[in-house]
Amino acid sequence: MVGETQWAKCGRFTGTTDIELTKGGAAQVSSAAVSLVGTDKFLDPSRLVHNFVSPRKRARQTFELLLPHFQEEKVTFTEDIAEWNYGDYEGLDAGEIRDSRKKRGLDRETEWDIWRDGCEGGESRQQVTERLDRLISQIRDIQKPYMNGEKPVDVLLVAHGLILRCFVKRWLGFSVDFPLQMILAPGAIAVLSYKNNNINEPALHVGMAFPAMASTEEEGGS
């Protein structure tokens, strides 16, 4: 997920607005890169066959901090993994959105829920579903021939909090409005895969083992 922005700190819905990471957000991603990115680390660039990145500035910054020496031919900046287009709700927080809708006579029986109701002037859940399914199909086409480990075919997504949670739901075959509660902190890394090396059994790693570190003897120490 992209690092922290000023709007994210304030709980404001940030979709198409092209704002940068805060200093803290950039430091957050840089720290993750040092700890988690590298040969035989949690995110090994040598295992990446492609990267799909949101075209928003904050996502590009996050990607460049994670992988400063990336190969351009292995990167696609695509609206398919851009944040949900919040339309008229851009820059508002959830409370302001709900208050505005109620004042206009909406949501008399149930509270507004973005997963179910979408955004006025922005995207519906169906539109989000269609673009995520298109991306998932691309990823599975890349990985399907190598499900038995013939070669590493890891794919990295660098995107935003809400759309990535939508992506997880679609990856697992759930609707965007399926009540699967998730927390994804700024700068966090999550892992999706397949059960039993089967392309038809997409899965979520609820616990991921870190690669074993080389021992002192292996590194040439005494």
Side-chain angles (χ1 to χ4, degrees):
M1 179 179 165
V2 299
E4 177 192 75
T5 67
Q6 191 59 45
W7 277 22
K9 284 179 66 175
C10 301
R12 297 168 69 183
F13 278 58
T14 317
T16 57
T17 303
D18 219 7
I19 59 179
E20 298 184 351
L21 301 178
T22 62
K23 289 183 179 180
Q28 192 176 50
V29 177
S30 296
S31 178
V34 170
S35 301
L36 301 177
V37 181
T39 302
D40 294 328
K41 290 187 176 181
F42 187 70
L43 181 58
D44 187 339
S46 70
R47 296 184 59 84
L48 291 173
V49 296
H50 207 78
N51 307 278
F52 293 97
V53 183
S54 163
R56 302 294 171 262
K57 187 181 295 183
R58 56 197 184 276
R60 288 174 176 265
Q61 287 180 296
T62 298
F63 177 65
E64 290 166 5
L65 289 169
L66 279 177
L67 297 173
H69 306 297
F70 64 89
Q71 298 171 269
E72 290 187 10
E73 65 273 15
K74 290 187 176 182
V75 185
T76 300
F77 295 98
T78 173
E79 291 288 341
D80 281 350
I81 197 62
E83 184 58 295
W84 197 310
N85 183 337
Y86 298 124
D88 299 345
Y89 304 156
E90 184 79 2
L92 304 178
D93 62 33
E96 291 171 330
I97 294 168
R98 291 191 174 102
D99 287 346
S100 171
R101 288 175 62 93
K102 287 181 178 178
K103 287 177 182 177
R104 290 180 286 118
L106 302 174
D107 311 325
R108 292 180 178 178
E109 296 183 3
T110 58
E111 291 277 1
W112 170 76
D113 183 279
I114 188 171
W115 309 97
R116 180 189 65 238
D117 304 320
C119 299
E120 294 176 286
E123 285 186 294
S124 67
R125 66 178 180 182
Q126 183 59 37
Q127 289 172 310
V128 168
T129 296
E130 288 173 0
R131 62 181 172 97
L132 290 180
D133 286 357
R134 182 166 56 239
L135 179 56
I136 288 170
S137 179
Q138 284 183 262
I139 294 170
R140 290 186 177 154
D141 284 345
I142 291 170
Q143 296 178 328
K144 186 176 181 179
Y146 308 102
M147 296 305 293
N148 293 312
E150 291 87 349
K151 74 172 187 177
V153 283
D154 290 353
V155 171
L156 176 67
L157 303 182
V158 179
H160 317 272
L162 190 66
I163 202 65
L164 285 175
R165 284 179 281 165
C166 292
F167 184 91
V168 170
K169 292 181 183 183
R170 294 306 301 149
W171 182 267
L172 298 175
F174 299 136
S175 64
V176 167
D177 60 334
F178 183 80
L180 179 64
Q181 300 301 321
M182 290 175 281
I183 296 173
L184 189 57
I189 298 176
V191 180
L192 297 169
S193 187
Y194 306 92
K195 186 178 179 182
N196 301 318
N197 298 326
N198 186 340
I199 196 76
N200 297 313
E201 295 186 64
L204 166 67
H205 278 287
V206 294
M208 183 74 179
F210 285 84
M213 296 184 66
S215 67
T216 303
E217 291 183 2
E218 290 174 332
E219 292 172 352
S222 58

